[in-house]
Amino acid sequence: MRLVVDEVTVRYPRADRHILADASLTVEPDRTLAVLGPSGSGKSTLLSVLGGLVTPTRGTARVAVAEGLAPALRDVTAWVLQTVNVLPERSALDNVAVAARTRGLGREESRAVAADRLADVGLARRAGDAARVLSGGELQRVVIARALASARPFLLADEPTGQLDRATSEAVLDALFTTSVGAGVVVVTHDLAVAARCDSIVRIDDGRVVTA
Amino acid sequence: MTQRWTARASWDEAIANLSRGGVLMVVLVGLTAGIVGVGLVADVHTADRVVQAERDYLAEGGDLLVARRQDASTIDVAACVAARRLTGVTASAAVTVTPGATGVVGRPEARQTVVAATDGVLDLLGLPVPGPDDVVVSTVVADRWQWSVGSRLQLLPDDVMPGLPRGVLTVSSVADLELLSEGASTGLLVAAPGTGGADACFVRIGAQYREDVHAALPAVLGESATGAITVADRLPAGALAADPAAAYDQRPTRWVGAAAGGVVGMVWVVVAWTRRGRAALYASIGVPWSGGVVLRWVEGLGVVVPGVLWGVALAVTYAVTALGSSVALVLDVAVRGGVLACAVAAAVVLVAGLWQPATLAALKDR
C-alpha cells in the first residue's frame, strides 16, 4: 500500500494563484519522508491532500494497492498537527482511546490499547490526567499516541515540534520515530534537524516539488 | 479498510463529554431551564387570568339569557321550566321580584323584597335544595338584619304578595342574588309554584349554543303575534360574546413553549458553532460523518432534554406555590408547553447536528 500524489494542482476558490502546482509524490510504507520548504510554500496543503482533507483542483491523490479495492485516503492516514488538538476536559487516556475506537474496538479494549500507546510515548503515569493540565510537549506526545492508537498505515505530521523548545522537540521526535515503526510517516517541517532524521526528503517551493 | 466506528462509540463519547463538561454543561442546562421555565410561568400566568376571568364572567351571569314579554305581562312558568329541555340549556327558572312584598316579624316599618323562583334557580345560583320551611337570603339582607345560615325569621304577608309562607322559616343559605336582577340583591328567595306567571325566565346556556337558544326560546315560551318575547343577555350587551374556551385557546402566550424551545435550540447552535473544532477533531481522528452526527445529537439532547424537564419542574413549582395557580391548570399548560419546547429545541439540535465544519479550517480555528 502506497500513497500516490500524481500531478496535483490545488487552487482555493477566489485565490489568485495556485497552492500546489503539478505536484507528484509517493509515500512508501515503513519509510519516513520529510517535506521541507518555506512558509506558504504549500507543505501543509500537500499533507492535507495526502490525508484526503483537501480535494485537488487537478490531478489525483489516491491509495495504491497491489490488489483489491483501494481504501480512501482518510481511512489510512492519521494526523499529528502543529496545533495541538485534544479534548481538554478529557483525560489523556480518553483522548487516545477514542482513536482506538475508530478501529471498531470496544470501550475497555480501546482503553487498554490507549494505555499501551501512552506508555510507548512515555506518558503512562499521566494517563489519567486531564489534557488541559498537560504541558505542550506532553500534549504533542498524547497526539502521537492517538495517531498510533488508530493503527493507520500512514502518519501525517504537520510541524509536530513547531511550538516546542529544542529539548522537548527531541523527546517528541523520539516518540514519533520510535513508536511509528512499520508505518509510513510524512513530516512537514522547516527544521533541517527534523528532516535529517527521516529516510528521505522532498523540498517544496511555490507549490512545486522541486527536489525529491 | 472500512470505518468501524459504532453508534455505541458515539454515545459513549457524548456521555463522557457531557459528564466531564463541567461548568459549561451545567450552565447550559441551567440556561435552558431558565428560558423554558420563565416562558412557561408567563403562559401559566396568562392562562390563570383567562380562567379567573371566566369564573368572574360566570359568577356575574355571563352564561345567562333572560326572557321577558315586551308588554310587561308575565311569562308562563311551566313553559319556562320546560325550556330546560332545550339543547344547550343547562338550567332554567321563572323568577318574579317583588319589592316591598312583605313585612318581617321583629322588623317594624321595614318592607322586604321577595324573589319567588322555581326550583331551577338553585342550579343557576349553585345552591343546595332548601327544605319546605327554608328560605335563602341575599348577602345584603343577611348583613342588614344580622342573619346567617340557621337563623329563624317569620314573614308578615299581606295583599301585596299573597301566598307567602306564614310560619317560621329557617335561613338555609346566604347568597348573592344580584345575578337575578339588581332588585333581587336585597331580597329573600322563596320557592315559587311550577304554574302561573312570572316576570322573567332565566336560562343558563353553554356558550356554543347561545345563538340557537336565543332563537328558539321565544317560541318555547309561547310567543305570539300579540305577545312578543325579548331574549337578552343577563350581562350588558356584548359581554356574553366573550368565549372563555376561545380566549384560553387563543391566549397570546400559547406558543411561548415553542418560542422557548426555539431560543434554546439557537443557544445550542451558537454553542455548537463555538465547539466546531471538536467536531473537526473527531473527523480528523477518523470518526465518520454519521458517527459525528450521532455524537452531536446525543450531546445536544443531553443538554436540552434535562434542561427542559428542569424548566417545567421549576415552572410548575413556582406557579403552584407562588402564583397559587391550580395544579390541574399548571400541569396542563406546563406539560403542553414543555413538550412543545422540547420538540422544537430537539428539532433544532437534530438539524444543527447534521452540519460538520470543514475539518482543516475548523482545526486551525481551535
Side-chain angles (χ1 to χ4, degrees):
Chain A
M1 181 183 294
R2 294 172 299 150
L3 303 184
V4 178
V5 173
D6 190 14
E7 296 190 345
V8 161
T9 294
V10 173
R11 187 186 295 272
Y12 289 127
R14 293 186 294 276
D16 58 355
R17 67 180 189 87
H18 58 257
I19 308 300
L20 286 178
D22 298 326
S24 295
L25 186 71
T26 299
V27 181
E28 303 287 347
D30 200 16
R31 301 275 295 171
T32 55
L33 169 68
V35 180
L36 277 173
S39 296
S41 60
K43 303 188 300 293
S44 294
T45 301
L46 177 62
L47 208 61
S48 298
V49 169
L50 284 167
L53 297 182
V54 168
T55 303
T57 310
R58 196 174 67 232
T60 58
R62 61 191 167 86
V63 180
V65 291
E67 58 184 31
L69 202 61
L73 288 166
R74 282 194 181 206
D75 292 341
V76 298
T77 52
W79 284 85
V80 178
L81 294 171
Q82 177 182 8
T83 307
V84 172
N85 282 287
V86 294
L87 303 167
E89 77 283 3
R90 305 284 297 279
S91 68
L93 189 71
D94 285 349
N95 270 283
V96 177
V98 67
R101 296 205 75 168
T102 65
R103 296 158 55 187
L105 302 181
R107 185 169 178 274
E108 295 308 318
E109 198 177 359
S110 295
R111 293 177 73 80
V113 168
D116 289 345
R117 296 294 81 81
L118 283 171
D120 290 344
V121 297
L123 284 179
R125 294 176 63 182
R126 308 222 57 179
D129 292 342
R132 63 171 174 271
V133 304
L134 301 181
S135 69
E138 288 171 330
L139 284 174
Q140 199 60 291
R141 282 189 281 163
V142 168
V143 173
I144 291 169
R146 188 176 66 193
L148 296 171
S150 68
R152 305 290 169 89
F154 295 95
L155 200 155
L156 310 177
D158 189 359
E159 305 209 33
T161 59
Q163 296 181 341
L164 304 177
D165 59 49
R166 174 56 59 189
T168 308
S169 294
E170 287 298 326
V172 167
L173 289 172
D174 286 346
L176 177 63
F177 287 118
T178 58
T179 58
S180 62
V181 174
V185 179
V186 181
V187 182
V188 160
T189 182
H190 58 266
D191 186 339
L192 289 173
V194 174
R197 297 182 62 161
C198 295
D199 299 327
S200 55
I201 299 172
V202 296
R203 185 178 298 276
I204 290 193
D205 190 17
D206 193 23
R208 299 174 190 280
V209 177
V210 293
T211 59
Chain B
M1 185 179 289
T2 57
Q3 295 288 354
R4 284 174 290 180
W5 179 267
T6 62
R8 175 59 190 267
S10 290
W11 171 270
D12 288 345
E13 275 301 299
I15 297 301
N17 286 339
L18 287 169
S19 63
R20 290 173 178 75
V23 175
L24 173 66
M25 293 303 164
V26 172
V27 167
L28 285 174
V29 172
L31 185 61
T32 300
I35 292 168
V36 172
V38 168
L40 293 183
V41 165
D43 193 25
V44 168
H45 185 57
T46 305
D48 213 16
R49 285 167 53 187
V50 170
V51 170
Q52 187 55 50
E54 181 186 12
R55 286 200 195 101
D56 295 343
Y57 161 82
L58 294 177
E60 291 172 12
D63 56 349
L64 295 182
L65 295 179
V66 184
R68 287 189 172 86
R69 286 201 179 274
Q70 274 187 347
D71 60 5
S73 61
T74 58
I75 293 279
D76 180 60
V77 169
C80 179
V81 171
R84 169 67 183 82
R85 291 196 290 272
L86 275 176
T87 301
V89 173
T90 57
S92 69
V95 176
T96 298
V97 179
T98 308
T102 182
V104 179
V105 171
R107 304 290 187 270
E109 307 293 320
R111 298 290 295 180
Q112 179 61 53
T113 298
V114 171
V115 180
T118 53
D119 290 348
V121 77
L122 300 169
D123 290 332
L124 295 180
L125 298 172
L127 296 177
V129 177
D133 296 326
D134 288 343
V135 65
V136 176
V137 302
S138 72
T139 51
V140 174
V141 171
D143 285 347
R144 178 185 299 162
W145 302 128
Q146 300 295 298
W147 287 334
S148 58
V149 173
S151 297
R152 298 163 76 84
L153 60 97
Q154 188 170 9
L155 305 180
L156 294 170
D158 52 26
D159 293 342
V160 176
M161 191 172 180
L164 287 172
R166 292 182 175 277
V168 174
L169 301 173
T170 302
V171 175
S172 64
S173 302
V174 175
D176 182 2
L177 302 182
E178 192 172 5
L179 190 72
L180 301 175
S181 75
E182 194 172 334
S185 65
T186 57
L188 299 177
L189 179 64
V190 298
T195 58
D199 290 349
C201 180
F202 283 70
V203 296
R204 167 161 283 154
I205 56 171
Q208 68 271 37
Y209 298 106
R210 179 180 179 276
E211 298 305 325
D212 293 342
V213 174
H214 201 285
L217 203 52
V220 170
L221 295 178
E223 185 178 49
S224 64
T226 58
I229 290 176
T230 59
V231 178
D233 299 336
R234 169 64 187 90
L235 291 183
L240 197 59
D243 183 344
Y248 185 87
D249 290 340
Q250 294 169 13
R251 65 189 185 280
T253 54
R254 66 191 183 282
W255 295 113
V256 77
V263 172
V264 167
M266 293 316 295
V267 168
W268 180 252
V269 167
V270 172
V271 170
W273 170 254
T274 61
R275 288 161 62 93
R276 64 192 182 282
R278 297 174 70 97
L281 189 153
Y282 280 109
S284 74
I285 292 171
V287 177
W289 174 79
S290 57
V293 168
V294 173
L295 196 159
R296 291 188 289 277
W297 281 356
V298 175
E299 283 184 345
L301 295 178
V303 168
V304 165
V305 173
V308 169
L309 291 176
W310 189 11
V312 169
L314 287 175
V316 168
T317 304
Y318 181 79
V320 170
T321 58
L323 298 181
S325 305
S326 82
V327 174
L329 173 74
V330 170
L331 287 178
D332 180 61
V333 172
V335 169
R336 284 170 190 265
V339 168
L340 209 53
C342 205
V344 172
V348 175
V349 165
L350 295 181
V351 171
L354 297 174
W355 174 74
Q356 181 164 292
T359 303
L360 200 58
L363 286 174
K364 286 181 176 177
D365 283 347
R366 278 174 70 85

